[in-house]
C-alpha cells in the first residue's frame, strides 16, 4: 500500500516535535542537498493529455508511463512505485522509478537509456494517436516536475509548462520524441552541497543515431505498417543558478493574466456588495414596517375591544402579508427525512470547504507536497462526519420526524454513497481503457475503510448528540388545519424562481470556476487560493441574501411551503455550474470517443451535485434563521 502520509496532521505535529531547533519545513517539502557526483532521483509519473497548440483538449484519459505500448526504458530489475499520499493517488498520480542516471554536477551527452526497442504496428498506431492528442510526459527530478520553457505572450515572462511533449506533429507527419536534453539548474548552498532548483527537458525526435545522437538529423516516424526500431537517448546538463531553493516553485506558478482575475473579482464583488446592501435595506425597511403594523394592530385590538373602526382596519390590513401564514410556516415540509439528510451533508461540505481553503491560504498545501489537497479534503470530510450527523439529527427532530433510525443511517450513507457509486462506475470506464487514472482497487478499499470505520461512527455520534438536544421549538403555534394557498404569480413559481435566484451565486464564482476547471482538466497547478477564498465568501453572501429575499416574497404571497423552495432555489446555481461545464466541453474540449465524454460529464455531474447540496444548505439555513427571526418578533394573539 502506498499511503506514506495519509495523515498530514500527525506528520505536521511530529515535525514540530522532532525538529524545533532547525528551520521548519512542512513534510514532503524539506530540501535535499547533494554532493557533486551523487545520484539525483528521476521518477516518472503518468502521461497526461495537455492542450494542443490551439488550446483545445483532446482527451481526459491518462496512461501509465510503463504502459507496454510506449516501450519506454525500464529500470533494472523492475520499476517500483514511489510512495504517495491518498490524495495524490485519487487525483491520478502514479509515480515510479526510472532508469535515468543523473549525477549532480556532471554533464553527460548522448547516453543510451536502454537497448533498441521494437515498435510493432499496433503500438506504433497507439503511440501516434497519443502524440496527435497532445500527450505529455511528466517527470519528477528531486520532486520538481520537468517542464518545457514557455514564454507568455501577454506578460512576456518565461515560465515552465507542466510536462513535456511525447512527440511532435509537423507537415511531414507524426514524430516520437526519443531524445531528451535534461537541463537541471542547481544552487550551491555551502561548499559541495547542491540543491536542485529547476528542471527543463527539451525533447527531440531523432532518427539516425550516431555519436552526436543524430542531432540535426531527420525526425523519427513510427510506421503504421511495419516495425520500427527506436533508440532512446538522453543528455544531462547542469547549470549553476542563483535561484534559492525556497523560490524554486515560482516559475511553475504562473498566473496567465493576473489582471483578468482582479478585474473579474472586483466586478463581482461590487455587484454582490451592491446587491446585498440593496436586499438587506429593502428587507429591513419592509420588515420593520410590517412588524410595527402587526404589533400596533394587535395592541389596538386588545386595548379597544369596542372600537369597531379598529376591527375594520384590522380586517383590511390583515388581508395580505406574511403574518397571515404564521400558523403554517413552521409546519414540517414534505419528505423531511431527505431534506434533513441533505442539510447534514451540506453542513459537512460547507465546513470542509471553509477549512480546506483556509489551510491552503495559510500555505499548508505546498505544490511539492503532491496530493496534499485531496488528502486534506478527504480527511476533513471524514472527521466532519460528526457535524453532518448532528445537523441532520437536529433538523429532523425539529420537523418532528419519527423515523430517527433511518435518519441516523442515511446521513453518512446516502450522499457519500451516491458520490462513491458514480466514482466507482466512472472508474470502471477507466479500467476498460487501461488508463492510469483508474484508482487502484486497494485505494478503493482504503476509501471504503475510512468511510465505514471513521466517518460513519463519527456521524452516528453526532446524530446521537443531536437527538439528545431538545427540539428547536417554533416561536408561534402551528394551526390544526392547513391554510389554502392562493395561486401565485409567474415568477414565484418553482422553476422561474430557481432560474432567477440560482444565477447570482453562480455569477460570484464564475471566473474562478474557469480556472479550477482548466487546472483539473489541463493538469495545471492551481494555487490562487486567495482569489478562491474571496469568491467563496462572495458566493455565500449572495446565496444567503437572494434566497432570503425570495422567501420573503414567497411568504408575502401567502405560500408557506418555503423549506424545499429555499433549498432548491439556492441549489439551482448548481444547474448553472453544470451548464457551464457543458459549454466548456463544447468550446474547449474535443474529446473523441465515448469514454472521455462519459468521464467528463460524469465528473461534472458529480461536482455539480455536491455544489447543489452545498448551496442548497446555505440557502436553507439562512432562510430558516430569517423565518425564525421574523415570526419571533411579531405578537400573535
Ligand atoms: C554543463 O553544461 C552547461 C550547459 O551547457 C554549462 O553551462 C556548464 O558549464 C557545463 N558544466 C560543466 C562542468 O562542464
Amino acid at each position: 500500500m502506498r499511503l506514506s502520509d495519509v495523515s498530514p496532521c500527525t506528520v505536521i505535529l511530529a515535525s514540530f516535535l522532532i525538529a524545533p531547533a532547525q528551520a521548519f519545513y512542512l513534510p514532503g517539502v524539506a530540501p535535499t542537498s547533494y554532493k557533486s557526483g551523487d545520484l539525483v532521483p528521476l521518477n516518472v509519473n503518468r502521461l497526461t493529455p495537455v492542450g494542443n497548440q490551439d488550446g483545445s483538449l483532446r482527451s481526459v484519459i491518462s496512461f501509465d508511463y510503463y504502459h507496454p505500448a510506449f516501450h519506454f526504458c525500464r529500470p533494472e530489475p523492475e520499476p517500483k512505485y514511489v510512495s504517495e499520499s491518498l490524495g495524490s493517488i485519487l487525483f491520478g498520480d502514479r509515480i515510479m522509478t526510472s532508469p535515468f542516471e543523473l549525477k549532480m554536477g556532471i554533464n553527460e551527452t548522448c547516453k543510451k537509456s536502454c537497448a533498441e526497442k521494437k515498435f510493432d504496428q499496433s503500438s506504433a498506431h497507439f503511440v501516434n494517436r497519443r502524440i496527435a492528442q497532445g500527450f505529455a510526459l511528466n517527470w519528477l527530478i528531486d520532486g520538481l516536475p520537468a517542464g518545457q520553457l514557455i514564454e507568455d505572450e501577454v506578460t512576456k515572462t518565461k515560465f515552465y509548462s507542466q510536462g513535456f511533449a511525447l512527440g511532435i506533429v509537423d507537415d511531414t507527419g507524426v514524430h516520437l520524441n526519443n531524445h531528451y536534453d535534461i537541463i537541471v539548474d542547481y544552487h550551491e548552498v555551502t561548499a559541495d552541497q547542491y540543491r536542485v532548483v529547476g528542471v527543463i527537458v527539451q525533447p527531440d525526435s531523432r532518427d539516425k543515431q550516431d555519436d552526436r545522437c543524430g542531432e540535426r538529423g531527420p525526425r523519427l516516424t513510427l510506421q503504421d505498417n511495419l516495425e520500427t526500431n527506436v533508440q532512446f537517448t538522453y543528455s544531462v546538463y547542469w547549470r549553476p543558478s542563483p535561484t534559492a531553493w525556497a523560490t524554486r516553485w515560482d516559475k511553475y506558478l504562473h498566473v496567465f493574466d493576473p489582471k483578468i482575475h482582479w478585474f473579474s473579482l472586483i466586478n463581482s464583488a461590487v455587484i454582490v456588495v451592491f446587491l446585498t446592501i440593496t436586499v438587506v435595506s429593502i428587507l429591513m425597511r419592509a420588515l420593520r414596517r410590517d412588524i410595527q403594523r402587526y404589533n400596533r394592530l394587535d395592541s389596538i385590538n386588545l386595548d379597544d375591544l369596542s372600537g369597531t373602526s379598529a376591527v375594520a382596519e384590522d380586517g383590511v390590513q390583515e388581508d395580505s402579508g406574511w403574518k397571515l401564514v404564521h400558523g403554517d410556516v413552521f409546519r414540517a415540509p414534505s419528505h423531511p427525512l431527505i431534506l434533513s439528510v441533505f442539510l447534514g451533508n451540506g453542513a459537512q461540505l460547507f465546513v470542509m470547504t471553509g477549512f480546506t481553503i483556509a489551510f491552503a491560504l495559510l500555505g499548508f498545501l505546498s505544490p511539492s507536497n503532491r496530493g496534499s489537497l485531496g488528502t486534506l479534503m478527504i480527511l476533513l470530510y471524514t472527521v466532519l462526519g460528526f457535524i453532518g450527523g448532528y445537523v441532520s439529527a437536529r433538523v429532523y427532530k425539529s420537523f418532528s420526524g419519527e423515523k430517527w433510525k433511518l435518519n441516523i443511517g442515511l446521513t453518512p450513507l446516502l450522499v457519500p454513497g451516491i458520490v462513491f457509486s458514480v466514482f466507482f462506475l466512472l472508474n470502471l470506464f477507466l479500467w476498460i481503457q487501461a488508463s492510469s487514472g483508474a484508482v487502484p482497487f486497494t485505494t478503493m478499499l482504503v476509501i471504503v475503510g475510512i468511510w465505514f470505520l471513521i466517518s460513519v461512527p463519527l456521524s452516528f455520534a453526532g446524530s446521537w448528540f443531536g437527538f439528545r438536544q431538545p427540539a428547536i421549538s417554533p416561536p408561534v403555534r402551528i394551526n390544526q388545519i392547513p391554510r389554502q394557498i392562493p395561486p401565485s404569480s409567474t415568477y414565484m413559481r418553482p422553476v422561474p424562481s430557481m432560474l432567477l435566484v440560482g444565477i447570482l451565486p453562480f455569477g460570484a464564482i464564475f471566473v474562478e470556476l474557469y480556472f479550477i476547471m482548466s487546472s483539473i482538466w489541463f493538469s495545471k497547478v492551481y494555487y490562487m487560493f486567495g482569489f478562491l477564498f474571496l469568491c467563496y465568501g462572495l458566493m455565500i453572501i449572495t446565496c444567503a441574501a437572494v434566497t432570503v429575499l425570495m422567501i420573503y416574497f414567497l411568504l408575502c404571497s401567502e405560500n408557506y411551503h418555503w423549506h424545499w423552495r429555499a433549498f432548491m432555489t439556492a441549489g439551482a446555481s448548481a444547474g448553472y455550474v453544470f451548464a457551464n461545464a457543458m459549454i466548456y466541453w463544447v468550446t474547449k474540449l474535443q474529446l473523441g470517443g465515448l469514454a472521455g465524454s462519459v468521464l467528463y460529464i460524469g465528473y461534472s455531474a458529480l461536482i455539480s451535485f455536491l455544489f447543489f447540496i452545498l448551496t442548497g444548505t446555505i440557502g436553507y439555513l439562512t432562510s430558516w434563521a430569517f423565518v425564525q427571526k421574523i415570526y419571533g418578533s411579531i405578537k400573535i394573539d
Side-chain angles (χ1 to χ4, degrees), residues 105-107 183 236-240:
I106 298 173
N107 285 356
I183 302 153
V236 190
Y237 303 101
W238 298 86
R239 294 188 309 200

Side-chain angles (χ1 to χ4, degrees), residues 514-525:
Y514 177 82
F515 286 93
I516 293 175
M517 298 235 278
S518 55
S519 90
I520 293 176
W521 299 109
F522 286 79
S523 350
K524 289 189 180 128
V525 185

